[in-house]
Amino acid sequence: MISVDEALAHLFSLVAPLDTEEVPLQQASGRVMCTDAVARRDQPPFAASAMDGYAVASDAVRPGARFTVIGEAAAGHGFGGEVGKHQAVRIFTGAPVPAGTDRVVIQEDVIRDSDTITLGDALDDNAYVRPAGGDFRVGDRMQAPRILGPADIALLASMNIPAVTVRRKPRVALISTGDELVMPGDRPGPDQIIASNTFGLKAMLDGIGAEARILPIARDTRASLSAAFDLAVGSDLVITIGGASVGDHDLVGVVASELGMERAFYKVRMRPGKPLMAGRMGDAAMIGLPGNPVSAMVCGKVFVAPMIRAMLGLGTERAPRLTARLAHDLPQGGPREHYMRARLDDGVIAPDTRQDSSLLSVLAGANALMIRPVDDAPRKAGELIDYLPL
């Protein structure tokens, strides 16, 4: 068996950043921008009023000063003339500050009588003017790579960028294997269960930028598995779930090898998820995940998600780990790195008392995977320990 880090190194060697494509800005949310975006305009493009009030020359401002109002400026409708020292322009938020003015006196500090305003006695020092280019200027960059979120999209729009270059979404084929499986909604026989792993993995992988598709269940025959692999042609990553062990009915490795898979490794020193297989099959990377539902989901988090990030050009790093304080003592750990379903509350983490790899209800109730290293020494309550957030 190899370690988790050794397995990750092998997996990263099987993939590379994918090619790029240009997408309209309205379709770019959640995508990985892979070239810097360069601002095409200043923002704001002119000095703009930050409040409703009156634009005046700051050197004429003092309590009780009087000004003659000669016009109005609103957003999208600036005042075109020059404003004298004792003149004012009624101005609204977002409007260009007129020539000859450099301060906005807010309307609450002004008394107006026809075309004359008088400033109040309690004036603050704020000019209420947003300087031209105060947010960004032509040539300023949004650096890549980055996963584009809502704030990024808004910024790109204001930079006058209608489309961005992004990594193509990794195409992932998900194949459940086993005679015991039926799809959700079907009527299972007396010896059958519902296939759940592909649905959980699809949700996970789609959520981090992949495009996963669930293929028909492959039965425990060479012909059925070969047909499933044929349907996966064109994928960047093929994931099988179940059948990757060494039992009489575990045919995934045999059939994959017959189809030309170059195996990179088999078995990882971890719990859950020991029977993990990986290699290349034609143009695609291939991973054989264990069939226990929690094992498959944990391996998806620990191994598959970092591979997807690598394919998106986000680097070859393991899933980032955080630390929390233990809620209670723990006994000596085991010979495999253990990813324990746990609850994290207010910086304190407690593993569930049930860690069987078939219990999806425990996984659904967890918000963290607490990590115990190989042969971890006994732990005391309050000690720091690593975890992966869920």
Side-chain angles (χ1 to χ4, degrees), residues 136-366:
F136 57 82
R137 294 190 175 275
V138 171
D140 284 354
R141 291 176 175 269
M142 178 188 287
Q143 292 189 332
R146 67 192 296 141
I147 302 172
L148 296 174
D152 298 317
I153 299 296
L155 177 55
L156 288 165
S158 67
M159 294 166 76
N160 199 24
I161 295 173
V164 291
T165 301
V166 298
R167 291 285 173 194
R168 177 173 61 78
K169 290 186 175 185
R171 295 186 291 261
V172 182
L174 298 168
I175 306 171
S176 286
T177 70
D179 290 343
E180 76 278 14
L181 299 176
V182 299
M183 294 292 278
D186 290 347
R187 185 184 296 276
D191 301 319
Q192 292 183 305
I193 59 174
I194 307 299
S196 59
N197 298 333
T198 47
F199 290 87
L201 287 167
K202 175 176 169 57
M204 178 191 295
L205 302 182
D206 284 353
I208 59 173
E211 192 173 76
R213 59 193 177 108
I214 298 174
L215 299 185
I217 295 169
R219 300 305 171 188
D220 290 326
T221 66
R222 282 178 165 82
S224 184
L225 281 165
S226 295
F229 282 127
D230 284 343
L231 292 174
V233 170
S235 301
D236 303 298
L237 175 61
V238 178
I239 300 176
T240 61
I241 302 100
S245 191
V246 292
D248 292 343
H249 300 282
D250 295 321
L251 300 175
V252 170
V254 174
V255 174
S257 295
E258 291 173 351
L259 295 175
M261 185 194 76
E262 303 169 9
R263 184 180 294 188
F265 66 87
Y266 172 62
K267 290 189 179 180
V268 181
R269 194 179 299 115
M270 69 180 293
R271 177 185 176 197
K274 179 177 72 172
L276 187 78
M277 176 179 61
R280 284 203 66 84
M281 180 180 289
D283 295 329
M286 185 260 180
I287 304 178
L289 298 181
N292 276 323
V294 175
S295 300
M297 293 298 289
V298 169
C299 287
K301 178 77 171 178
V302 174
F303 296 118
V304 184
M307 289 180 74
I308 295 298
R309 287 181 56 84
M311 297 164 83
L312 290 169
L314 295 173
T316 53
E317 302 290 340
R318 70 183 186 183
R321 299 181 177 190
L322 304 176
T323 58
R325 297 197 178 277
L326 276 170
H328 53 74
D329 295 353
L330 294 177
Q332 172 75 32
R336 290 184 281 161
E337 189 165 290
H338 194 180
Y339 292 78
M340 306 180 74
R341 284 152 286 172
R343 287 292 308 176
L344 177 74
D345 295 296
D346 298 325
V348 177
I349 194 166
D352 197 278
T353 56
R354 299 180 300 163
Q355 294 293 326
D356 187 281
S357 59
S358 68
L359 301 177
L360 274 174
S361 59
V362 177
L363 181 63

